[in-house]
Amino acid sequence: MRLRALLDTDALGLRLLGGEDELDRPVRGVMTTDLRDPSRYLSGGEVVLTGLAWRRDAADSEPFVRILAQAGVSALAAGEAELGPIPGDLVEACLRHRMPLFAVNETVAFATITEHVVRQVSGERAGDLAAVVDRHRRLMTSGPAGGGPEVVLDLLAGDLSLSAWVLSPTGRRIADAGKPLPGPVATALAGRHLAAARTGRRGPHATSVDGTTYALFPIRNTGRSAVPDPQDPRGSTLSEWLLAVEADPGDWPEARLDLLQGVTQLIAVERDRRDAARTVRRRLAQEVLELVQTGAAPAEIAARLRVAAPVLLPGLGTAPHWQVVVARVEWEAAPEGGSPVRSGAQDHAGGPVAQALLEEILVDPAVTGPDSADRIAVAYTEDEAIALVPLPAVAPPGQAPGEGPGNDGSAYGADPALRASTLLDAVREPLSAGLADDGRLTLGVSAAVHSAEGLHGALEEARHARRVAAARPGRVCAAGHDELASHVLLLPFVPDDVRRAFTARLLDPLRSYDERHRAELIPTLEAFLECDGSWTRCATRLHLHVNTLRYRVGRIEQLTGRDLARLEDKLDFFLALRMS
């Protein structure tokens, strides 16, 4: 297939802006991207489709086109849907690098061009397999008529006698053609795919599990929903789907390999569609998170949750309980030739990667129940991802599950709370392979809270639990709220000089103040912590007016620079008192 054929196809509506002398270039594939540097996904001969989201100013066009030219790309096609006419600096850069440039009319979807190119190229190379590729257009159909990835896998099974499965990076089954794949096999395939992807070798990767050989094809997520990791590409592999085919790719002719590569491009379009469906939930979670972190009034947070309920709680009405899960991905060093990168670095590479992984972990029905994909809302801030997990009603003591209605009118169910001890059981093996020897994933899980008023505390609790998990060995670790008290068990193992320095830093300013003013700040602090921060109970216990208690606590915070409304500061004071 030649570029000229694309220009002559009226249904594609392409306009040539430059490179008329290069229209006899062959076209071997198509890729959609908005990455500033998509070179790792290019093999040469592609038509690159872009919405120009990578372009911030005129200076960005030259390096982008240079990267494409060096990779052997056949042509660049830029969309006019969002930014309007193609900027002149991009036209000039393409002329300098002899890169043919097409303008894609706003009425033409990139999926239409992708489907056309895949059908034409695969048809030319595969010959008798062209009918299979042509029928794959049903995957691109929007609405109820579209069959999703299952259509592709059914066609592979029916026309080519190939058993295939689409798997998530954790081994969760996304689509199949009716033939079951045992859970342990799916988990093993996902882990081996992630391990192979970390080597940088191009797929397919051949592997054998229980005596059966499989070909593993990466399904690149390079569109606008791709995880942005511009400084460190290691995180990108952790979010890739894979196509597992029960066959040895070494026995295939080149035409069949090309066909399967085209199939992965079609499935990638379906993935972009599914990711787009999460956009609203992500935005709502981000809004709620910002309110919680900025200390907004509980009434304001509750009002925002009520507005979000139809999206976050389909079928649940209003959630009587919430849990917060915090995740963080960290890398110990940059890849060879790169600069050191850790979560929270410039461009916030760690947050989106953690968001993608947390969504994948929580969307598993085995973890959060059926239809959980419609309820999970994950936001991210700098180097961490934060999930708001709604929990259905729980039967009160003495009443069996399912016997009575919940607060929202739904039937009571069994306790649905997430357990940190089991949250990562099913995903530990594949994710550890993807993180290899230089990455870590740590999670923290809060206790369930009953109202918007408790979300701030739940967030701090989940963050502190994640730090507990980070102190443990292993590539994939989690900790829950019930493990926070276990800090006391660690005190005997803390060196004496460390204990003395820690307690002196926190308590010496209070002791000195008490000696000078007889203010009883230390006893007040002990009582305040023992009363779980309750002003009324603590004031009653100390026989003080609440205002006097507030004055003393304020003085404690002023002298130590700590905030007794923060969970970690309360915990530090608790440990300091225990070690003193």
Side-chain angles (χ1 to χ4, degrees), residues 343-365:
S343 296
Q346 186 179 2
D347 290 318
H348 299 169
V353 175
Q355 180 188 46
L357 286 180
L358 189 52
E359 284 178 336
E360 173 56 38
I361 293 168
L362 296 178
V363 82
D364 190 340

Side-chain angles (χ1 to χ4, degrees), residues 52 88 115 153 178 333 425 478 480 488 509 547:
L52 301 180
E115 177 191 358
L153 303 188
D425 286 351
V488 178
N547 289 343

Side-chain angles (χ1 to χ4, degrees), residues 466-481:
R466 192 209 63 76
R467 287 192 285 271
V468 172
R472 296 173 175 169
R475 293 292 163 191
V476 181
C477 299
H481 64 95

